[in-house]
Amino acid sequence: SDANRMTLVHWGVPSDRVHVVPNGYDPSLFFPTDAGPVRKRLGLGGDFRFILYVGNLVRLKQVDRLIASFSKLRERKISLQLVIAGSGPEDRRLRRLVRELGLVDSVRLLGETPHAEVARWMQASDLLCLPSRMEGLPTVVLESLACGRPVVASAVGGIPSMLTEETGLLVPPEGIDPLANAIDRALASDWNVGRIAASSSRFARPR
């Protein structure tokens, strides 16, 4: 990301020695489609909204912050679900947190998930949330946008350059209430799927 480039230049690397090669996504996997049929294929029933996290389960991703924020949201809206796709050293601690907060029926940890299956979960979701403390140019944000799904993410690294008011919401990289409020706002907003998907088209990398 350009944010990474600026950091290297700040550390003393000559600017003409640093070139940004952005991440990309596979448009044959990640594209807009109606969530209803995809949810049926995934075996999801019921009339609910669901938030998706995709990524490694490590501390700097702050998935515990997302779970705590989701717990606050559940106090306001019972018809919410959180799906977490990914694996890592935080898995056991996060599962324990889900139990402690009484969220076993509304939080689903998928574990390690094949890339093609990640695409289906994104298409079935209402939004992607990435509450990280640190990022570069996260591919999962590009993939979610390519599916026409808005993103709520921390304003770190290259993320602010990826999102606009038409594609998502930025939040500080700390705090439970700001994240919960942003997710609430995003779920209540009327997003334009086509505009969201078009915003990421320059990052498409066809096979």
Side-chain angles (χ1 to χ4, degrees):
S1 70
D2 195 57
N4 294 143
R5 183 189 66 79
M6 292 171 64
T7 298
L8 290 172
V9 171
H10 177 74
W11 288 346
V13 179
S15 60
D16 61 354
R17 297 287 302 278
V18 185
H19 303 278
V20 178
V21 180
N23 291 333
Y25 68 90
D26 182 355
S28 71
L29 291 177
F30 298 90
F31 52 86
T33 190
D34 181 29
V38 183
R39 287 189 177 198
K40 285 184 180 179
R41 288 202 298 273
L42 291 172
L44 301 174
D47 182 20
F48 61 86
R49 315 290 302 280
F50 97 74
I51 303 149
L52 178 67
Y53 166 85
V54 177
N56 294 323
L57 304 185
V58 294
R59 284 192 180 270
L60 67 82
K61 296 288 189 178
Q62 301 192 121
V63 184
D64 54 347
R65 176 185 172 218
L66 172 56
I67 293 171
S69 297
F70 177 78
S71 180
K72 281 188 170 289
L73 282 175
R74 283 278 296 179
E75 296 172 4
R76 311 176 203 171
K77 299 180 179 181
I78 201 68
S79 58
L80 286 181
Q81 299 281 316
L82 172 62
V83 174
I84 298 169
S87 61
E90 287 286 281
D91 184 277
R92 184 176 297 180
R93 188 175 74 89
L94 294 173
R95 291 180 187 274
R96 184 169 63 248
L97 178 61
V98 168
R99 292 193 298 271
E100 291 171 353
L101 293 175
L103 299 172
V104 173
D105 293 334
S106 57
V107 177
R108 182 172 179 177
L109 286 93
L110 301 178
E112 189 170 347
T113 307
H115 206 202
E117 194 173 329
V118 166
R120 304 294 82 80
W121 283 101
M122 284 185 174
Q123 291 168 336
S125 72
D126 288 286
L127 65 87
L128 177 84
C129 186
L130 191 64
S132 308
R133 187 167 58 246
M134 183 184 302
E135 285 288 350
L137 192 80
T139 304
V140 292
V141 170
L142 298 177
E143 292 170 340
S144 181
L145 297 178
C147 292
R149 303 302 184 255
V151 175
V152 174
S154 299
V156 297
I159 294 177
S161 69
M162 304 168 76
L163 298 179
T164 70
E165 61 182 14
E166 291 188 327
T167 61
L169 298 174
L170 294 169
V171 295
E174 65 278 320
I176 292 170
D177 287 334
L179 182 59
N181 292 336
I183 293 172
D184 200 12
R185 280 178 54 206
L187 289 172
S189 297
D190 184 20
W191 302 97
N192 186 303
V193 171
R195 288 181 183 174
I196 293 174
S199 73
S200 68
S201 60
R202 69 186 187 279
F203 297 102
R205 303 287 185 266
R207 286 180 178 271

